[in-house]
Every structure is written in C-alpha cells, then in structure tokens.
Amino acid sequence: MKIKTTISAISKNMFFGIGFVLFAGLVLLINWFFNSPVKQADMINRRLVRTEQQINMLRSAQNELILRYDMAEDLFADTQSLSEEQVTSALNTVKSDIEYFQGFRVVKNHPAIATSLSNQGIALNEYEGNLKVLMMATVERGSEHSGLISRWLEVSSGMLNAASDNGPDMVRMVEKLKQTETAYLLNSNMKGINDILALADEIRTRLSGKETGIKVSDLDSYTALTNNLVSVDTRIGTSGNPGIISNTGKSLEALLNASSNTTLLMNEALQKRKTVWTIALYVIIVLITICGIIFLIVITNRVITTPLSTTAAYLGDIAAGKLPAQPLSEEGLPEIKQVDHAVNELLIELKKKTDFTRSLNENNLGIQLIASGPHDELAGELNSLQKKMTDTADVQRMNDVENAKRRYINEGLAKFAEILRTQSNDIHLLGDAFIREIVKYLGAIQGGFFLLNEDKGDEKMLELVSSFAYNRKKYMQKSLYPGEGLVGTCAMEKQIINLTEIPEGYITITSGLGDTKPDNLLLVPVLHESELIGVLEIASLALFKEHEIQFAGEVAGSLGATIIYARNNQRTSELLMKSQQQALEMSEQEEEMRQNMEELKATQEESSRREEEFRGIAEAISQSLFMIEYGLDGIIRDVNDKFCIFMGLTREDILGRDHHTVLAGTLIPDTLFWEELQRNNHVTLTEKIKIGRKQHHLKEHFAVVQNKDGIVVRYINFITEVTT
C-alpha cells in the first residue's frame, strides 16, 4: 500500500512538474519571439543616436575650420592631424550606419525611409568632398606659422629689416605695408589687398637705381605671394559669398535635413513596431495564462477541492468537540489520503486522551497515558496535569501533617500557658507542675528542671529545683556549674541539645522490671531575652520528633518569662517591706525638711527677683542689639527677632548654619578664632556684609558663656550697625 501511494505521488509530482516546466518554457519562448523585434528596434534607435552624434561632430569640425580660417594667426596650430582623423572616422561611421540601416526589413518595407537614407548618403558624399577641399584650401592658405601667409609675412618682414638702408621714408612705407597686411588678415577686405599692391608699386618706384636696402626680387616675390593669397581667399570665399565655405555649408545643411528626416521616419516606424509586438506579446501571455488557470481549476476541483471539503467538514466536527463514531473515508490525491489517515489517527488519539481525562476527573490517578510520539504535546500536558494532581495530593497530605504539628504546638502552648498563669507565684511549685506536664505531653519518661541561682554572688550555679521520675542515683548531684556536664554545656551554649546516643551510666530509667538506658535525651535552655534562666532535661525511650523539639523550645521561653515575672513579684514584695520601713524614717525627717523648705522658699524668692532683673536686661539688649548664640562647634543655635528682620530671613533659614554662610561677610570664624575666644573670653571686631545691593558695617562683640563650674558651654555675639 505504501509503495503504491509513493509511486502515485511521484507520478503526480512528475505530471505537475513537467506541466509547469512546459508552461514556463512556452511563456519564455513566446516572450523571446515577441521581444526580438522590440530589442531590434531599441538597437536601431541606439544606432540612430550614434549617427546623429557623428554628424554633429562633422558640423563641429566644419565650424572649427571656419573659425581657424577667420583667425589666421592660429590656423591648424598643432591640431591638424587630430582633426583630420576625427573627420575621417566620423564620415566612415556615418557611411557604415547608413549601410547598416538599409539592411533592415523595416527600411525595405517603408519606401520613404529608404529614399531618405539614400538622400542622406548622397548628401554625405557631397559634404565629404566639399569638406576635404576646404581642408586642403585652408592648409594651403596657412597662417603666420605655416603656408602661404607664413611665407608672405616672412618676405615683408625681410623687407622691413632691409628698409633702414633706404632711408626713413622707406621704413615708414614698409611699416604701413605691414599694418595693411595685419588689417587684411583680420578683416579679409579686398580693399586692403589693393592698398598693399599700390604700396608695393610705390616702393618699386623708389627703389629704381639703388643697389642697397630692399631688393627688387624680394618685392617681386612679395607681389606674387600677395596675388596667390588673393586667389586662395577668393576660392575659399565666406559663408555669405560663393566659394568652398558656402558649398560646404549647403552640403552640411542638406546632410542635416536628410539625417533629421531619416531619424523622424525611422523613430515613427520603430515605435509602431514596438507597440504592435508588445501588445501582441501581452495578449498571447494573457490567453495562455487564462487557459492554464481554467485547466488548473478543473483539475484542482476534481482531485483536491472536493476531498478537502469532506476532510474540512470532518475536522470541523472534531474542532467543535464532537468525536465521530466512524472513521473518515480516505480518497483523493495521495497527500489528501495521507491527511485523511492522519485525521483518523488523530481521532483515535483524542478518544484515548478523552478516556484518560475522564479517569482523572474520577480521581483515578494511577492510570497511565502513552504518548503517540515524541512530539505529542497534549499527552505531555495531560501527563504533567496528572503529575501535578498527584503532587497536589502529596502536598495536601504534607499540609495535613504540618497542620497537625501546628495544632499540637498551639494546643500545648495554650495548656502550659494556663499552668504558668496559675503557678506563677511560687517558682518551685511552678517547676514541679511544668516538668511533670511537659514529660507527659512529650510522651517522655523522666525530666528535670535546673534553675540558675544568682543569689550566691559572682558564683552562678544550676540547681535541680524540680524533677519527675528520676531515680535516687540521679538525685545525688543537684547542683552544676555552667559548662559542667551535658546540662552545663546546654547552659553555656544556650542551644537545644538532642542526644540519641546517651553516655554510658549518665541516666537510667527504672521500672519494676529493671533499669534501662533511654534512647533520646533532650536538653532545652530556658531563656528570656537571651538571658539564661535554667535548663530542662527530658529523657525518653522514643525519639523526639522535630515539632516536639520545637514545642519544647517555645514553651521553655514561656517558662523563662514566667520565672522572670515571679522573681520580679518577689522582689517587689521585698521592696514594699523596705519602703514601709523607710516611710517611718521619712516621717521623722519630715519636720526637719519643712524647716529647710521655708529657708529654701526665701532663697527661691530672692532668685526669682534677680531672674526677673536679668530677664529685663536680656530683653532690653535683645531690643537694641542683634544677638546670635553659637554652639561650641561654631553652629548658630539661636538668634533674636531683630537680627532676623535685619537679614530678611526666618529663624529656620539661620539656625543650624555657621556665621559666614548666613552673613557672607568679611569674617570667617574658624577653629583658631573660637580657641582664641575661649582664651580671651571676649573678642570685639568689625565686619562688612552686603544685603541686596546695600553694604553694612557691623561691630561685633563675641563673648563666652560659662556654667557654674567655669566650663564654656556656648558663645554669644552682640552686634550693632555702624553708620559711616
């Protein structure tokens, strides 16, 4: 079954895979077929742009030749060979592009484009011929550095150098000739040539019969060069006059018009071609996509949608909490069958987990749930829930045990509180009742209470004041020093000692059947606020439990507080007896005291009178002077109201601060200042302070204040404002 399913799944995957590859290949093929004309049109457009750039270069070369012709002194200066190479390359490129365009079907199918290209080729050939003639003519004409103009200027310069031998008049005539040359080269005016020829004839006339200075042969050569220059300039012409320049400009204009027309026609044709092929491409792709979608929808409905709808409805029942009785029928694609099989497995597992949960609700915590796999989270959570319920039950049992222990301790404390309350008047009776009841409450066999006796001066002893079921041998030692034996060790350490291994011969439990050693010995210190009161010693044949030891410690603390209370009551009684005896003695002294009181009253009246006088003096000083009191540390302890008003501060702003912090003046009292004040008892000085924008001059009188024993207790400062 698994092999068949796997083969079917592989066949289906191969079917869909091959179908997808064929569909993608068809789309790519169509895209390539329809994009080829578009790419060809883009390539032609780029070639057209390059052709226009080359034609513009030719126009630039022509403009440069004309510019050099107009500026004869820089004609072809160091750039002639480069310009010729650029012009030749541009001409060859344009010719190649025209031949390239003529080979395309789009040109052959459009007669207008073919005709325009032909006209462009004719105009290019004509322009090439005119441009080469122009270049040759400009080279022949030259400039002041080369060509005809260079030789012309060289001959005239030689004549100028030789004219000095013919006299000043001849020099002036040759200089005028040079000026006329320069004017002609700048303006190309034929009148200048006529003037030059006229001056040459006049010079010839003046040279007749002279052997020195300007030679006639040089003058003849100069005249011939002038005529040749006029001939070349006439042949070249200008852009407005007939000549080579005019012909070249006309042929360039024809070339530009033909090129512009060709570019316009080809762009229109190519744009239409691109639009048609692009629209056709999109239409074909859309049609193929629609057909593919329809095919996929049909196949999907048959082998996927219908089986999935059935499975979804089945899963909807499971999601709603309903577990169907019958399994889901497995049909459709192998993957869908696998899904249906997984759903059936899920249903089985859900039923198992439902039964498990029902058992947990019935408090059956011993049942086990086996997970369906290592990633079965629900089974893991249910098992965790089972464990938590088990742990909760264990915790509840532990809580019940703890509650029983707390109840044991609370009931015992209440019971012993009653014993301590009723027996608190006599320590011995209290000890007997307490040790008897605690031995019974702890389930022990024997017990004793050792009380710390502090009435023997510095020597403290632990005395056995109460016991329960001790044999006579144990009674032989009733007093112990702290640190002596187990009881003394407990007293010294003030910690509970719980022994499960009793030293041999330390204690035995006697009954009618004989003597036996106890299994557990508990020694508990009786404390009150960390003060040792005594020690409890309890022996048992059974081991003491932890809560019983805790209870013994707590009830021992209550016993300690009660003993302290009893001792305080006893001491109070003794003090009461002493006070009664002292009352008799005091009655005898009362008469004597009455007489002393009368004398004291007279003294107090005199003191009150003098105190009133001093108070009046102090109030008068306070009303007229500023007064500050300092502590021995130099901190202000008191000030009068007049000083507060003067400073514009409250008492709270001043008290607790030092002198300089409050006044911010020129005086900064330090430790040396206060020591000097103590040595001299008083110091008088002046100080400047500033309150707001106003400056004040103060005269200050520091003095010490002593008690009746002559010890300095504080400092005082009386301040007056000095008017300047």
Side-chain angles (χ1 to χ4, degrees):
M1 180 64 182
K2 291 185 178 179
I3 295 175
K4 290 182 179 181
T5 303
T6 304
I7 294 174
S8 177
I10 293 173
S11 300
K12 174 197 58 79
N13 291 333
M14 290 182 62
F15 171 76
F16 280 105
I18 294 172
F20 177 77
V21 170
L22 291 176
F23 177 78
L26 179 61
V27 171
L28 291 175
L29 180 62
I30 293 172
N31 183 65
W32 171 81
F33 179 77
F34 283 91
N35 270 332
S36 295
V38 176
K39 292 181 178 178
Q40 189 181 70
D42 292 336
M43 183 172 59
I44 294 173
N45 281 328
R46 289 193 294 271
R47 200 68 174 261
L48 284 172
V49 172
R50 192 186 72 169
T51 302
E52 290 180 356
Q53 292 175 349
Q54 297 300 320
I55 292 174
N56 289 330
M57 183 183 294
L58 293 174
R59 180 167 59 181
S60 299
Q62 177 186 343
N63 293 334
E64 183 178 357
L65 288 173
I66 296 173
L67 178 62
R68 289 176 179 176
Y69 172 72
D70 292 338
M71 300 174 64
E73 67 276 6
D74 296 324
L75 187 62
F76 291 105
D78 299 329
T79 59
Q80 180 178 0
S81 59
L82 179 60
S83 297
E84 290 178 356
E85 291 177 0
Q86 290 177 344
V87 169
T88 302
S89 175
L91 289 170
N92 293 332
T93 301
V94 175
K95 289 180 181 179
S96 175
D97 289 345
I98 292 174
E99 294 176 358
Y100 173 77
F101 295 144
Q102 288 174 343
F104 284 99
R105 182 178 298 177
V106 65
V107 175
K108 297 176 181 179
N109 294 337
H110 290 76
I113 298 177
T115 302
S116 180
L117 278 173
S118 178
N119 294 334
Q120 186 175 353
I122 295 170
L124 179 64
N125 293 329
E126 183 179 355
Y127 174 72
E128 181 180 9
N130 291 329
L131 186 61
K132 289 182 178 180
V133 171
L134 176 61
M135 293 174 63
M136 292 174 62
T138 53
V139 170
E140 180 182 358
R141 184 174 187 269
S143 66
E144 63 180 1
H145 303 294
S146 64
L148 186 60
I149 293 176
S150 177
R151 296 196 303 273
W152 186 48
L153 295 176
E154 183 179 355
V155 172
S156 63
S157 296
M159 292 169 58
L160 180 61
N161 293 331
S164 58
D165 295 336
N166 299 112
D169 293 336
M170 184 62 69
V171 172
R172 282 194 294 273
M173 290 182 67
V174 177
E175 287 178 350
K176 184 176 181 181
L177 180 67
K178 294 292 291 181
Q179 292 175 358
T180 307
E181 288 176 357
T182 303
Y184 174 74
L185 291 176
L186 291 175
N187 300 322
S188 298
N189 191 351
M190 294 303 296
K191 182 179 181 299
I193 291 295
N194 295 329
D195 293 339
I196 290 172
L197 293 174
L199 287 171
D201 290 339
E202 187 176 353
I203 293 172
R204 185 186 300 274
T205 301
R206 294 190 180 188
L207 287 178
S208 59
K210 293 184 179 181
E211 297 295 332
T212 61
I214 300 174
K215 296 180 180 181
V216 175
S217 59
D218 292 336
L219 188 61
D220 291 339
S221 176
Y222 178 76
T223 303
L225 290 173
T226 302
N227 291 327
N228 291 337
L229 179 61
V230 171
S231 176
V232 171
D233 286 344
T234 303
R235 185 155 45 89
I236 292 176
T238 61
S239 58
N241 297 320
I244 300 173
I245 293 178
S246 176
N247 296 335
T248 305
K250 292 178 181 179
S251 61
L252 177 62
E253 186 69 25
L255 176 61
L256 292 174
N257 292 334
S259 175
S260 176
N261 186 51
T262 301
T263 302
L264 179 63
L265 293 174
M266 290 190 69
N267 284 335
E268 291 178 354
L270 292 174
Q271 186 62 36
K272 291 180 181 179
R273 182 183 179 88
K274 290 171 62 176
T275 303
V276 170
W277 283 96
T278 302
I279 293 174
L281 171 64
Y282 288 138
V283 170
I284 295 299
I285 290 177
V286 169
L287 291 176
I288 293 175
T289 304
I290 291 173
C291 293
I293 291 172
I294 293 173
F295 177 76
L296 287 176
I297 290 173
V298 173
I299 296 300
T300 302
N301 285 335
R302 181 173 299 176
V303 299
I304 298 176
T305 305
T306 302
L308 282 180
S309 298
T310 304
T311 304
Y314 197 83
L315 286 173
D317 293 338
I318 295 176
K322 178 182 178 182
L323 300 180
Q326 299 298 326
L328 178 65
S329 59
E330 301 176 5
E331 58 184 12
L333 292 175
E335 287 81 359
I336 297 178
K337 290 181 179 179
Q338 291 178 4
V339 172
D340 294 342
H341 179 72
V343 170
N344 291 330
E345 293 293 331
L346 174 63
L347 179 62
I348 294 172
E349 292 298 324
L350 287 176
K351 288 182 177 180
K352 287 170 54 179
K353 293 174 176 62
T354 301
D355 295 337
F356 178 76
T357 306
R358 188 178 295 110
S359 299
L360 293 181
N361 287 332
E362 294 172 356
N363 206 22
N364 183 9
L365 302 180
I367 191 171
Q368 295 294 325
L369 175 64
I370 300 175
S372 60
H375 303 293
D376 190 352
E377 295 184 4
L378 180 57
E381 293 297 326
L382 288 174
N383 286 326
S384 298
L385 177 61
Q386 180 191 30
K387 185 178 183 304
K388 287 183 180 179
M389 293 178 67
T390 304
D391 294 342
T392 302
D394 294 339
V395 171
Q396 183 63 38
R397 285 192 293 272
M398 293 176 61
N399 289 337
D400 292 341
V401 173
E402 292 297 324
N403 290 334
K405 292 179 181 179
R406 285 195 293 270
R407 186 166 58 252
Y408 173 86
I409 294 174
N410 293 334
E411 290 178 355
L413 291 175
K415 178 179 180 180
F416 280 87
E418 180 64 20
I419 295 173
L420 296 175
R421 185 182 63 80
T422 57
Q423 303 293 337
S424 61
N425 294 327
D426 191 314
I427 294 178
H428 293 279
L429 295 178
L430 174 63
D432 292 340
F434 184 87
I435 196 65
R436 181 177 62 254
E437 292 300 326
I438 195 170
V439 169
K440 292 180 180 179
Y441 197 78
L442 293 177
I445 301 299
Q446 293 179 347
F449 174 42
F450 291 83
L451 183 65
L452 183 65
N453 189 350
E454 298 180 344
D455 297 336
K456 296 183 179 181
D458 296 334
E459 187 177 353
K460 297 181 180 180
M461 297 286 291
L462 288 168
E463 296 182 353
L464 180 65
V465 295
S466 300
S467 63
F468 179 77
Y470 271 132
N471 57 17
R472 291 185 177 181
K473 184 178 180 180
K474 182 66 180 175
Y475 274 115
M476 291 176 64
Q477 190 177 10
K478 294 185 178 181
S479 298
L480 296 169
Y481 289 103
E484 182 181 359
L486 294 176
V487 175
T489 301
C490 178
M492 287 292 292
E493 296 179 354
K494 296 182 181 181
Q495 298 290 334
I496 294 176
I497 299 176
N498 182 31
L499 295 177
T500 55
E501 294 182 3
I502 313 301
E504 196 67 35
Y506 178 77
I507 187 174
T508 58
I509 297 175
T510 304
S511 67
L513 299 177
D515 296 339
T516 182
K517 186 174 69 172
D519 293 330
N520 204 165
L521 181 65
L522 182 65
L523 297 115
V524 182
V526 180
L527 304 173
H528 178 69
E529 296 180 354
S530 301
E531 179 184 356
L532 181 68
I533 306 300
V535 177
L536 293 174
E537 184 182 43
I538 304 171
S540 175
L541 293 175
L543 296 179
F544 291 112
K545 299 176 182 177
E546 183 178 353
H547 69 280
E548 293 175 337
I549 297 174
Q550 179 184 356
F551 166 73
E554 292 185 11
V555 77
S558 300
L559 174 62
T562 304
I563 291 175
I564 292 296
Y565 174 74
R567 284 179 175 176
N568 291 336
N569 287 342
Q570 185 176 355
R571 290 172 183 170
T572 302
S573 299
E574 293 175 356
L575 291 175
L576 180 60
M577 293 177 63
K578 289 181 181 180
S579 65
Q580 290 175 352
Q581 183 178 358
Q582 291 174 354
L584 294 175
E585 296 176 357
M586 289 178 63
S587 62
E588 295 175 356
Q589 297 174 357
E590 184 177 355
E591 180 63 25
E592 183 180 355
M593 289 179 63
R594 185 181 60 78
Q595 295 176 0
N596 292 336
M597 287 294 293
E598 289 180 356
E599 295 177 359
L600 180 61
K601 183 177 180 181
T603 303
Q604 287 179 345
E605 289 177 355
E606 179 64 21
S607 297
S608 298
R609 183 182 62 78
R610 297 192 64 183
E611 183 178 355
E612 289 295 331
E613 291 177 356
F614 285 134
R615 186 180 296 111
I617 294 171
E619 290 180 357
I621 293 173
S622 178
Q623 293 297 327
S624 58
L625 302 175
F626 305 136
M627 186 175 67
I628 306 175
E629 292 186 13
Y630 308 88
L632 295 180
D633 54 359
I635 300 302
I636 298 175
R637 303 303 181 189
D638 193 12
V639 295
N640 62 353
D641 295 338
K642 187 176 181 64
F643 180 74
C644 294
I645 295 171
F646 173 72
M647 294 297 298
L649 301 172
T650 63
R651 291 173 61 85
E652 289 76 11
D653 296 333
I654 299 174
L655 299 183
R657 303 170 69 184
D658 58 31
H659 179 91
H660 182 69
T661 303
V662 175
L663 276 72
T666 56
L667 175 62
I668 305 177
D670 54 7
T671 303
L672 297 177
F673 174 83
W674 299 116
E675 290 177 355
E676 182 183 358
L677 178 60
Q678 286 194 15
R679 287 193 301 270
N680 300 329
N681 291 334
H682 64 85
V683 173
T684 301
L685 48 81
T686 59
E687 180 180 7
K688 294 180 180 180
I689 66 171
K690 191 174 183 180
I691 301 176
R693 298 183 178 179
K694 185 176 180 181
Q695 191 171 25
H696 299 268
H697 296 265
L698 302 181
K699 186 173 184 180
E700 303 180 19
H701 305 272
F702 286 87
V704 299
V705 179
Q706 300 176 344
N707 60 11
K708 63 180 181 179
D709 297 324
I711 298 174
V712 177
V713 295
R714 64 180 183 275
Y715 309 117
I716 192 165
N717 183 9
F718 297 101
I719 304 172
T720 57
E721 183 177 6
V722 179
T723 303
T724 58

